[in-house]
Amino acid sequence: MIQFLDLKGINAQYREELILAVTDVIDSGWYIQGSQVNAFEQEFADYCGTKHGIGVANGLDALILILRAYKALGKLKEGDEVIVPANTYIASILAITENRLKPILVEPNEHTYNLDPSLIEQAITPNTKAILAVHLYGQLADMPAINTIAQKHNLLVIEDAAQAHGAQIDGRKAGNWSDAAGFSFYPGKNLGALGDAGAVTTHDDQLAQTLRALGNYGSHKKYENLYQGINSRLDEIQAALLRVKLKHLDTETKRRQQIATMYIEGIKNDAIVLPLTRTASPLTRTDHVWHLFVIRTPHREKLQTYLAGQGIQTLIHYPIAPHQQQAYKQWSNQNLPITQAIHQQVLSLPISPTMTDQQVHAVCQSLNHFTDA
Ligand SMILES: *Cc1c(COP(=O)(O)O)cnc(C)c1O
């Protein structure tokens, strides 16, 4: 059986280090907002190349709190429009509607699955105040083009970097391309905790301060409340575990990249479309971190069943587009043909950094022998 993602195997590699990290926290007697969180926040900000890193409870909260902080600072207000890719994971959209802002769903490029800069400008109205760019599947959106458009129209740019820890364009990493970025450390993400966790990165002192207060009861100083905040904090135990995992992130990313290269070179079947890794300019260097390796085929159901029969586990990211979810039934008649086609055809291949070359070749062989007849 070739598992889609062998989380147990991934974490088993660091078992001793993880146990030591947890033991330190247990013995410290300090479990919320202490030295582990402080250290991780600095290490993660340094990794991304930003001034601030702020730990929060999960990735959705990271995005919710960024938008909420901009509202507290008077840069966004209820009803403002936020441009977001129509094919994103539902959490990006939930963060917008949770703040009573209005998501404007824009179609992605059908090859990269990320926002199509050429479609952004026509979606901008006088009410548009921000672009929430998502680095879907582990590849940065075309941030140079997105930032140019944002500058021209005076829009905030926010990254949903939940799937893109360490992804780069020309050496500049996810989290460092915008006014603020939200990260998730959900266990299955490229940098995964052993429970829920998330972070915000930013260069902006004022945003960092406001966001910290909002995630801590709205309090900037103990027992003094500036805002009607929430409780969304990163635990000391998760921070300690993440410090161990962060040290190994680049090694795991390299393995993901090797696996992706083997797939790209080894899969030869006209019924299967491989992912494209590029930005608008062929001169820029894009480092995809392959959170997911997503292929497309009009015969998805048949292919998934066939692979399951060969002991190869695959998943679908995602089966239902946000505008077709019950939760957003008021958008069900929006015309988003590229997004719809993507949701009907995508299939994610196994991408565990623990996969052996032999397993990767076995997946390629199975795919090459698949026929839609
Ligand atoms: C996982 C994910 C989130 C949410 O992160 P959680 O930690 O699960 O709340 C947000 N956006 C994207 C694109 C994600 O993949």
Side-chain angles (χ1 to χ4, degrees):
M1 162 84 172
I2 301 179
Q3 269 183 282
F4 177 75
L5 183 70
D6 178 12
L7 265 184
K8 187 171 155 181
I10 290 170
N11 287 323
Q13 302 173 97
Y14 319 122
R15 192 169 186 278
E16 302 307 320
E17 281 179 276
L18 293 171
I19 289 170
L20 278 177
V22 171
T23 307
D24 273 352
V25 176
I26 293 170
D27 294 346
S28 75
W30 193 280
Y31 308 116
I32 301 274
Q33 294 202 315
S35 59
Q36 295 293 340
V37 168
N38 285 341
F40 175 71
E41 287 181 337
Q42 191 57 56
E43 286 159 13
F44 191 65
D46 289 347
Y47 180 82
C48 297
T50 58
K51 185 165 177 195
H52 301 281
I54 303 140
V56 296
N58 56 65
L60 175 58
D61 276 4
L63 297 170
I64 288 176
L65 285 167
I66 290 169
L67 294 169
R68 183 128 188 235
Y70 279 125
K71 282 169 73 187
L73 291 168
K75 294 195 181 180
L76 291 176
K77 61 173 188 322
E78 277 190 26
D80 283 349
E81 293 174 1
V82 179
I83 287 173
V84 63
N87 62 320
T88 186
Y89 179 56
I90 196 79
S92 326
I93 316 255
L94 290 172
I96 298 170
T97 56
E98 175 70 22
N99 277 287
R100 298 177 194 281
L101 300 160
K102 187 176 175 201
I104 302 296
L105 306 178
V106 170
E107 293 256 69
N109 175 298
E110 65 174 320
H111 301 294
T112 65
Y113 306 109
N114 277 327
L115 264 183
D116 184 342
S118 72
L119 299 179
I120 292 177
E121 227 157 2
Q122 65 199 58
I124 295 174
T125 75
N127 296 325
T128 309
K129 293 289 145 51
I131 301 173
L132 177 52
V134 183
H135 309 315
L136 206 65
Y137 306 152
Q139 175 167 231
L140 285 197
D142 191 344
M143 295 311 292
I146 289 169
N147 281 338
T148 302
I149 295 168
Q151 240 158 28
K152 184 170 154 199
H153 296 272
N154 197 21
L155 308 176
L156 292 167
V157 179
I158 297 153
E159 292 163 82
D160 180 341
Q163 303 190 357
H165 320 75
Q168 311 183 20
I169 293 176
D170 284 344
R172 189 170 161 193
K173 286 202 181 91
N176 183 12
W177 277 98
S178 60
D179 294 294
F183 285 89
S184 165
F185 309 120
Y186 177 83
K189 298 290 158 83
N190 286 27
L191 177 58
L194 277 70
D196 273 315
V200 171
T201 57
T202 182
H203 292 287
D204 183 338
D205 297 338
Q206 212 186 10
L207 179 77
Q209 218 177 14
T210 308
L211 197 139
R212 268 189 198 288
L214 283 170
N216 191 33
Y217 315 117
S219 169
H220 63 303
K221 204 167 144 192
K222 204 160 187 178
Y223 304 128
E224 281 185 33
N225 298 76
L226 266 180
Y227 312 105
Q228 298 169 24
I230 60 171
N231 177 350
S232 181
R233 300 181 297 220
L234 176 62
D235 285 341
E236 283 286 286
I237 282 201
Q238 295 303 340
L241 294 166
L242 283 165
R243 293 181 71 196
V244 172
K245 298 284 299 277
L246 180 59
K247 283 190 286 183
H248 301 286
L249 176 60
D250 285 346
T251 308
E252 286 199 5
T253 299
K254 280 203 190 85
R255 183 59 190 156
R256 285 176 185 269
Q257 290 168 336
Q258 283 169 354
I259 293 167
T261 304
M262 282 189 264
Y263 279 149
I264 287 168
E265 289 171 356
I267 300 170
K268 292 184 173 65
N269 186 329
D270 289 342
I272 293 165
V273 181
L274 294 170
L276 193 69
T277 64
R278 64 134 209 244
T279 47
S281 160
L283 296 175
T284 54
R285 198 186 131 189
T286 310
D287 285 354
H288 196 317
V289 296
W290 300 104
H291 173 58
L292 299 169
F293 191 97
V294 177
I295 60 170
R296 279 177 76 171
T297 173
H299 317 287
R300 176 173 70 193
E301 215 164 289
K302 204 166 173 191
L303 179 59
Q304 190 171 33
T305 309
Y306 161 86
L307 290 172
Q310 313 229 339
I312 297 167
Q313 187 191 15
T314 56
L315 296 176
I316 296 170
H317 299 90
Y318 299 89
I320 303 173
H323 74 286
Q324 293 179 321
Q325 298 283 358
Q326 264 301 310
Y328 293 118
K329 52 183 182 294
Q330 67 273 26
W331 302 336
S332 62
N333 55 6
Q334 286 198 27
N335 183 30
L336 298 161
I338 297 173
T339 297
Q340 250 147 275
I342 287 172
H343 284 77
Q344 281 159 14
Q345 297 189 349
V346 288
L347 187 68
S348 307
L349 301 184
I351 189 76
S352 244
T354 53
M355 279 176 89
T356 63
D357 286 4
Q358 208 180 2
Q359 288 176 315
V360 182
H361 291 311
V363 176
C364 293
Q365 284 308 309
S366 292
L367 286 165
N368 291 347
H369 289 124
F370 171 72
T371 54
D372 51 21

